[in-house]
Amino acid sequence: MTQIINTDLGMVGLGLRREMLDELLVHVPKQVDFMEVAPENWLKLGGRFKKQFKALTSANSFACHGLSLSIGSTAPIDIEFVKSLKMFFDEHDIKIYSEHLSYCSGTGHMYDLMPIPFTLEAIAHVVPRIKQVQDILGRQIAIENVSYYAAPGQQMSELAFTNAILEQADCKLLLDVNNIYVNSVNHGYDAEAFLTGLPTQRIAYGHVAGHYNEADDLIVDTHGADVIDPVWQLLDKAYQTHGVFSTLLERDFNIPTVNVLTKELDIIHNLQAKYLDKSLIKQRA
């Protein structure tokens, strides 16, 4: 099986949304080393959008972050969908494919990311499903730690659950720093303890994003605002703990111009430089 090596990507990335196409087709700012898309949004597009997307993937490094694999569902893996992903990845030279450690389907599609119970039974269910997808794709995938708002049937910590799946499935981790912060507030745990407990050698790349404060003890993960200082501080801690890893900025709503978003990309670059200059990149097995 092909292993994903995060040095295949640049160090700082931006999530590509269709609203950004016109700008990026003219000029990709120097701060953008790679881009990321949800493959479901591009798989079946033809005509102008397909040509524009191919123009970008031909000239830039790309990752894919899936929305509908539903790795925790009780329904069988959609084999034909996974095969279509493989062809899409080959066509566009996709470097990394990641998905959410959640589910989004049952008897129908729920169009939301639902939490998988933190149980041994769930681990035993999810691990072979990840292996099945990796076998079809012929590559490791990265699984993202997700934000969640309830923990039904919880028998172990989120950290223990996540680490068990990463190890047993032999997959990579998409480390979402904002999700750690959001969950730490919503569920009252220590964000830095969770962060430092993750396996360095499994990290493929990372995400940062903004969110919405519904109440003092309830944050909604919207990707619709600027990244806040505590999340930047947690990203700094992530680099200090795990070494510098490729990191992507997500912005799904209230999207400003790309030139405005580059200000946040500059922050990522500066945080990485802080540790690159001190040669603190950790070697990953």
Side-chain angles (χ1 to χ4, degrees):
M1 181 183 297
T2 302
Q3 288 207 354
I4 301 170
I5 303 173
N6 73 329
T7 49
D8 285 347
L9 289 176
M11 296 303 296
V12 177
L14 178 64
L16 172 65
R17 303 297 177 260
R18 289 187 201 174
E19 295 92 330
M20 305 173 185
L21 268 178
D22 289 342
E23 286 183 86
L24 292 174
L25 284 166
V26 173
H27 173 66
V28 176
K30 60 180 175 52
Q31 292 92 335
V32 180
D33 297 316
F34 70 102
M35 286 177 267
E36 179 192 79
V37 294
E40 293 87 345
N41 293 337
W42 299 87
L43 266 171
K44 297 182 180 180
L45 287 181
R48 178 171 61 91
F49 280 128
K50 183 175 182 177
K51 291 178 180 178
Q52 289 176 328
F53 184 61
K54 183 61 177 176
L56 284 174
T57 61
S58 295
N60 301 274
S61 291
F62 266 79
C64 275
H65 186 45
L67 300 173
S68 60
L69 188 60
S70 200
I71 204 67
S73 172
T74 56
I77 293 289
D78 187 339
I79 302 298
E80 292 308 310
F81 170 66
V82 179
K83 289 180 178 179
S84 70
L85 288 177
K86 181 177 174 59
M87 290 188 290
F88 182 79
F89 298 161
D90 290 344
E91 179 183 0
H92 295 287
D93 191 25
I94 301 300
K95 304 298 185 183
I96 293 178
Y97 171 53
S98 61
E99 250 288 0
H100 303 83
L101 187 54
S102 62
Y103 68 99
C104 58
S105 62
T107 55
H109 203 293
M110 290 176 281
Y111 300 100
D112 206 348
L113 300 173
M114 306 299 291
I116 302 172
F118 301 149
T119 67
L120 292 174
E121 183 181 10
I123 293 171
H125 174 68
V126 169
V127 165
R129 290 168 65 86
I130 294 175
K131 289 182 175 180
Q132 181 184 14
V133 172
Q134 292 185 143
D135 286 344
I136 296 170
L137 293 177
R139 64 163 79 186
Q140 284 179 301
I141 67 173
I143 295 295
E144 182 189 42
N145 57 293
V146 298
S147 56
Y148 60 98
Y149 305 95
Q154 182 171 352
Q155 296 175 356
M156 64 180 69
S157 69
E158 178 193 355
L159 180 61
F161 178 78
T162 302
N163 284 345
I165 287 178
L166 293 172
E167 180 65 27
Q168 293 181 35
D170 190 22
C171 62
K172 293 291 188 179
L173 170 67
L174 167 50
L175 198 168
D176 193 305
V177 175
N178 182 62
N179 287 351
I180 295 175
Y181 177 78
V182 167
N183 291 344
S184 73
V185 173
N186 291 345
H187 303 288
Y189 66 64
D190 186 321
E192 288 196 7
F194 185 98
L195 176 69
T196 57
L198 293 169
T200 298
Q201 72 278 8
R202 294 283 175 187
I203 299 171
Y205 69 118
H207 276 175
V208 288
H211 53 250
Y212 176 71
N213 291 321
E214 183 73 30
D216 290 342
D217 58 352
L218 177 59
I219 297 176
V220 181
D221 181 33
T222 60
H223 303 171
D226 294 345
V227 180
I228 66 170
D229 286 344
V231 174
W232 289 127
Q233 292 163 13
L234 197 59
L235 180 61
D236 184 286
K237 181 66 175 180
Y239 293 152
Q240 181 184 357
T241 302
H242 297 293
V244 174
F245 49 85
S246 298
T247 305
L248 180 129
L249 173 68
E250 292 184 291
R251 189 65 176 258
D252 294 340
F253 303 100
N254 303 320
I255 300 174
T257 64
V258 173
N259 285 337
V260 171
L261 292 174
T262 57
K263 296 176 182 178
E264 291 188 293
L265 299 180
D266 282 334
I267 296 175
I268 302 173
H269 277 289
N270 289 337
L271 288 175
Q272 290 180 342
K274 176 179 175 182
Y275 294 100
L276 287 167
D277 289 349
K278 296 179 180 179
S279 301
L280 291 180
I281 299 179
K282 295 183 182 294
Q283 296 297 317
R284 296 178 175 83

